[in-house]
Amino acid sequence: MTENSSRRVLERLRAIDWADDFAASDHANSRALLMREYLRRAALWARACGAEQSWPFLDVAEHVDAEFQTPPDVAAEVEEVLAGLAPTSLKRTCRAAIRWAALRDVRDDLPADLPDPYEPLLLMYERGGGYFLEEYLDLNGVMIRLGNVESNASATSFVTLAPATLDALDAEGQITYYAKVSEGYPRHKPRGIVRRRIDEGQTYDEAFTRRLRWEPTEYLNLYDLGHNEVDHVKITEIEAAAFIESVTAKILGSPSATP
């Protein structure tokens, strides 16, 4: 980050439509993945700082440098942005993200082996607003169990945060992903991926193509009929995201950065 990073985070927060229920619904899948990644990163930082009791919505800067404060002008403006928002933990994370950005501007000795704690959460907010916290995390479209520090710290990382990749994961219905595998094309580097969506009783089979979009495919139906020699295995959303991002990077010629 460079100078004034805290103000850039502030402007990102200012641009969010916190009441956009349609965006929250449209981006339900990617928002769930982003929240889970935030919980994982927060668990790593909580454990590194000895702040397990403050997880999941902790102020990392407070535990790294308790004396450091957000610049007064930015701190005052963020309170205007947060006025009327709930729950309290959401406000805490927004303040913490700004304070963390400000701290990174002036400190070059912060742990380099831990990922940015707040970027997944900021992206989640930008894709449909906040959440409600009761027995589960309610993202206005999907429910997430919190778990604990250890279960989240050991979770699979979701490092593909590019907007195009996140968009490609958002779709209606129950989705199952498959990787097309064969000799020389293992699960982690498949020939391609397909998905089956079941939405309101209708089944849709789609392949992610070189046009960087999902398009209808008969692959799964043909395979069931014995007409395909290429095999496939079921994969996770995170594995599908990694494939989408790698293909996008190859075709567009530049990999996307991962905070």
Side-chain angles (χ1 to χ4, degrees), residues 30 70 86 144 154 156 232 235-236:
S30 61
T70 302
I144 294 179
S154 61
T156 303
H232 61 272
I235 59 174
T236 66

Side-chain angles (χ1 to χ4, degrees), residues 33-144:
L33 285 164
L34 290 166
M35 175 57 85
R36 292 190 181 102
E37 176 62 11
Y38 164 73
L39 294 173
R40 186 189 75 88
R41 295 187 182 194
L44 295 175
W45 277 99
R47 199 163 60 179
C49 297
E52 288 89 342
Q53 295 302 314
S54 298
W55 182 88
F57 302 112
L58 73 163
D59 184 338
V60 174
E62 179 181 13
H63 295 283
V64 172
D65 186 348
E67 301 299 319
F68 183 79
Q69 298 297 323
T70 302
D73 58 329
V74 176
E77 290 184 54
V78 75
E79 294 309 312
E80 297 177 4
V81 172
L82 300 179
L85 294 183
T88 300
S89 59
L90 183 149
K91 294 183 178 182
R92 185 184 308 125
T93 59
C94 292
R95 296 185 190 104
I98 288 176
R99 187 176 178 184
W100 177 249
L103 181 64
R104 290 186 63 183
D105 277 344
V106 299
R107 290 275 298 269
D108 57 8
D109 60 340
L110 299 173
D113 58 337
L114 292 176
D116 185 300
Y118 298 110
E119 183 61 23
L121 197 59
L122 290 171
L123 287 170
M124 194 209 77
Y125 291 156
E126 290 173 327
R127 298 177 73 80
Y131 59 85
F132 298 98
L133 181 59
E134 296 178 354
E135 184 178 354
Y136 291 84
L137 272 169
D138 181 351
L139 305 187
N140 196 14
V142 65
M143 306 288 280
I144 294 179

Side-chain angles (χ1 to χ4, degrees), residues 237-258:
E237 289 177 296
I238 292 176
E239 290 174 299
F243 176 85
I244 291 168
E245 191 143 301
S246 67
V247 168
T248 301
K250 288 178 183 178
I251 292 178
L252 298 183
S254 61
S256 53
T258 303

Side-chain angles (χ1 to χ4, degrees), residues 80-226:
E80 297 177 4
V81 172
L82 300 179
L85 294 183
T88 300
S89 59
L90 183 149
K91 294 183 178 182
R92 185 184 308 125
T93 59
C94 292
R95 296 185 190 104
I98 288 176
R99 187 176 178 184
W100 177 249
L103 181 64
R104 290 186 63 183
D105 277 344
V106 299
R107 290 275 298 269
D108 57 8
D109 60 340
L110 299 173
D113 58 337
L114 292 176
D116 185 300
Y118 298 110
E119 183 61 23
L121 197 59
L122 290 171
L123 287 170
M124 194 209 77
Y125 291 156
E126 290 173 327
R127 298 177 73 80
Y131 59 85
F132 298 98
L133 181 59
E134 296 178 354
E135 184 178 354
Y136 291 84
L137 272 169
D138 181 351
L139 305 187
N140 196 14
V142 65
M143 306 288 280
I144 294 179
R145 184 187 295 274
L146 270 176
N148 55 39
V149 170
E150 290 307 315
S151 65
N152 281 277
S154 61
T156 303
S157 61
F158 176 59
V159 297
T160 49
L161 304 185
T165 303
L166 297 174
D167 288 344
L169 298 173
D170 288 322
E172 296 291 333
Q174 180 181 348
I175 302 174
T176 305
Y177 292 97
Y178 301 93
K180 297 167 71 174
V181 297
S182 60
E183 185 176 355
Y185 294 93
R187 175 176 180 153
H188 68 275
K189 195 175 181 180
R191 297 169 63 99
I193 62 172
V194 297
R195 70 183 183 187
R196 172 161 286 175
R197 290 193 301 115
I198 300 176
D199 184 32
E200 297 185 348
Q202 296 294 315
T203 298
Y204 305 89
D205 290 344
E206 299 158 327
F208 192 78
T209 72
R210 293 183 62 83
R211 295 186 179 91
L212 304 182
R213 65 191 184 198
W214 294 100
E215 298 182 343
T217 179
E218 290 298 317
Y219 166 81
L220 291 173
N221 287 331
L222 291 172
Y223 186 89
D224 290 340
L225 293 172

